[in-house]
Amino acid sequence: MSSSKHSKELRRLALSVLQPGFVGTEAPEWVLRDISDGLSSVVLFARNIVSPEQVARLTAQLRAENPSLIIAIDEEAGDVTRIESSTGSTRPGNFALGAVDDVELTESVARDLGRQLHAAGVSLNYAPSVDVNSNPDNPIIGVRSFGVDSTLVSRHAAAWIQGLQSAGVAACAKHFPGHGDVAVDSHHGLPTYDADLDEIAAQALPPFRAALAAGVRAVMSAHLLVPAYDPDLPATLSSRILNGLLRKELGFDGLIVTDAIEMGGVTNRYGIEGATVKAVVAGADAICVGGEHADEATVDLIVGALLRAVSSGELTEERLAEASERVQAFADWSTRMGQAVPVDPISGDIGFVAARRAIRLSGSAHDSLPLTAPPHVVELVPSTNLAIGKETPWGVAVPLRERLPGTTFVRLLHQELAADPAILEKYALLPASGRPLVIVVRDASRNKWMGSALADLAKARPDAIVVEMGLPGPSGPGAVQIFTHGATAASGVAAAEFLIGAR
């Protein structure tokens, strides 16, 4: 093979292992050009989505260049949503499904989502999260997990995967080997999972084993340190974890895709180029990139890094070819699976059914509910991690006002409370004088400022009704506590219905 022909083939291999994002609701020229040059996958984010019809046009445009192109999305159908980022998800997330603990319901919700994604032309969904949220202070997983019990998470992970894939869309179990027992957000730094081998085997690995048994063909690696397996390298960059644990011990022969390679958990130390090369060397087959760096220059940068690594001997051509072959095998399989399922864009109301079933209550409801007068609603707004779109609406006040005209509300941030100690009196308590007060929180037990503000409000108004839309903490203040187990649009509607007795 001539030198120029070999260089071109190497570039095709390097392009084929990338799963980049891009900006725009139509495919940029550079993306189409790279697909014709060997790019095998792309990832859609909220910035690429306006409507189901527009997404279907976009995916058709992309597949005109390559009919077996992998088109991925990070759609958990919970607090983390891309396809419904502008409205909030019409389905509850994993924690709500785990609270109901009906695997047939979980499978139905995932199948409903799969139909929507399949109609839009998506072939791979970076979901479900099968992490066991064993650390209540976890800043990145929380309600994205099915729960705190490994057995419960395992059975719902399997049901979710079966539901999604029955609709013609491939699932991806994440974040291997388990992101639930950490206290650092891997978008910003490197978390450590300090369990020993026995603890990991009992706590974190069973849901991944269940996912593999359910037929999952893609697993996403986590940017976290697991010293019991590798004291030096994060899982995404560790051959001991990707090859030793996932491939050999668990017997997985499908596609290993990295979590977003630009995240601080790997780039703070190695940079985006170094992290990419080390991930492929370690056994990753596909590099997810473009949540934040979604441009042609980033793809060129990474392709260049892979080519230099082959030239220097750091990355063997055989390993790069093996990764590319796994990508193509996955592309062929997912294409066949999608073609075998008829396109059915009709979405049911199973998401709202599930959200209603996930509502739990604490306190003396008969004295306070249903509401007999329009309340004042105070929503305490936390900072969310980067997985959750800042544009995604959440809360109870808007759906409640639609159902109970005269409802008023205020949304308060930590910075506002810190800047003005009288803000609770002015905007929360005074407008609620002589009226019911509803306080909406999201992870109040994990956000100290929020827990403190909630306590102050409930002390002034012990008859307040509290709606917790994050992880339920210890029994809190207020006459009644309503737990939605997530902050999706469906969960907000379910809570509003509960407040007015419309269940």
Side-chain angles (χ1 to χ4, degrees), residues 70-92:
I70 299 167
I71 300 180
I73 197 169
D74 185 15
E75 176 57 59
E76 297 178 14
D79 290 17
V80 176
T81 179
R82 312 301 177 209
I83 203 79
E84 297 183 295
S85 66
S86 63
T87 58
S89 176
T90 52
R91 304 169 184 91

Side-chain angles (χ1 to χ4, degrees), residues 46-405:
R47 61 177 175 239
N48 306 118
I49 294 166
V50 173
S51 69
E53 297 76 19
Q54 168 267 323
V55 179
R57 288 194 301 272
L58 170 59
T59 56
Q61 180 191 17
L62 291 162
R63 286 223 173 83
E65 301 293 328
N66 175 5
S68 66
L69 183 74
I70 299 167
I71 300 180
I73 197 169
D74 185 15
E75 176 57 59
E76 297 178 14
D79 290 17
V80 176
T81 179
R82 312 301 177 209
I83 203 79
E84 297 183 295
S85 66
S86 63
T87 58
S89 176
T90 52
R91 304 169 184 91
N94 288 357
F95 203 75
L97 295 172
V100 179
D101 196 14
D102 177 344
V103 289
E104 290 183 4
L105 179 70
T106 294
E107 186 172 346
S108 296
V109 169
R111 185 180 299 111
D112 187 63
L113 171 66
R115 281 198 292 264
Q116 184 181 18
L117 296 179
H118 184 42
V122 171
S123 57
L124 168 62
N125 187 7
Y126 292 149
S129 165
V130 304
D131 308 291
V132 181
N133 197 64
S134 46
N135 183 348
D137 289 327
N138 191 322
I140 185 64
I141 302 300
V143 296
R144 299 168 66 192
S145 167
F146 288 109
V148 300
D149 175 75
S150 183
T151 304
L152 179 144
V153 173
S154 296
R155 61 176 174 265
H156 286 278
W160 207 97
I161 288 163
Q162 288 163 349
L164 186 81
Q165 295 194 161
S166 71
V169 176
C172 177
K174 63 185 184 185
H175 308 79
F176 189 81
H179 214 305
D181 192 12
V182 301
V184 173
D185 182 346
S186 52
H187 287 95
H188 306 297
L190 180 60
T192 300
Y193 179 21
D194 268 327
D196 61 29
L197 292 177
D198 289 341
E199 287 177 272
I200 294 169
Q203 180 189 66
L205 295 184
F208 287 98
R209 293 186 185 276
L212 269 55
V216 83
R217 299 280 190 97
V219 171
M220 178 176 281
S221 65
H223 301 331
L224 55 84
L225 204 62
V226 190
Y229 282 97
D230 192 328
D232 302 314
L233 292 168
T236 294
L237 315 182
S238 171
S239 177
R240 296 181 196 176
I241 292 173
L242 300 187
N243 276 319
L245 177 58
L246 182 54
R247 291 261 186 244
K248 293 177 182 172
E249 188 175 327
L250 270 63
F252 180 63
D253 63 356
L255 185 76
I256 298 176
V257 58
T258 70
D259 205 346
I261 204 68
E262 64 262 52
M263 288 165 60
V266 289
T267 58
N268 287 352
R269 183 170 178 183
Y270 301 104
I272 197 167
E273 297 160 280
T276 296
V277 170
K278 286 182 179 297
V280 178
V281 169
D285 306 305
I287 305 295
C288 173
V289 64
E292 298 167 65
H293 298 273
D295 51 37
E296 183 179 10
T298 298
V299 170
D300 288 345
L301 185 74
I302 291 176
V303 167
L306 290 169
L307 296 180
R308 287 192 300 276
V310 172
S311 179
S312 72
E314 181 183 0
L315 171 64
T316 66
E317 189 173 334
E318 292 75 17
R319 167 80 272 268
L320 185 60
E322 178 192 45
S324 180
E325 287 166 10
R326 278 217 176 87
V327 171
Q328 190 55 55
F330 181 89
D332 293 342
W333 169 76
S334 60
T335 299
R336 289 193 305 272
M337 182 173 65
Q339 290 171 343
V341 178
V343 172
D344 177 12
I346 305 302
S347 180
D349 66 349
I350 189 67
F352 290 98
V353 171
R356 293 176 191 121
R357 288 184 62 188
I359 294 284
R360 297 293 181 270
L361 187 69
S362 175
S364 181
H366 67 273
D367 293 332
S368 308
L369 296 175
L371 293 171
T372 56
H376 184 56
V377 182
V378 179
E379 296 184 337
L380 301 177
V381 182
S383 299
T384 54
N385 62 67
L386 285 177
I388 299 172
K390 294 192 184 308
E391 74 282 356
T392 305
W394 68 277
V396 176
V398 171
L400 183 58
R401 185 174 60 179
E402 291 169 355
R403 289 157 178 78
L404 191 56

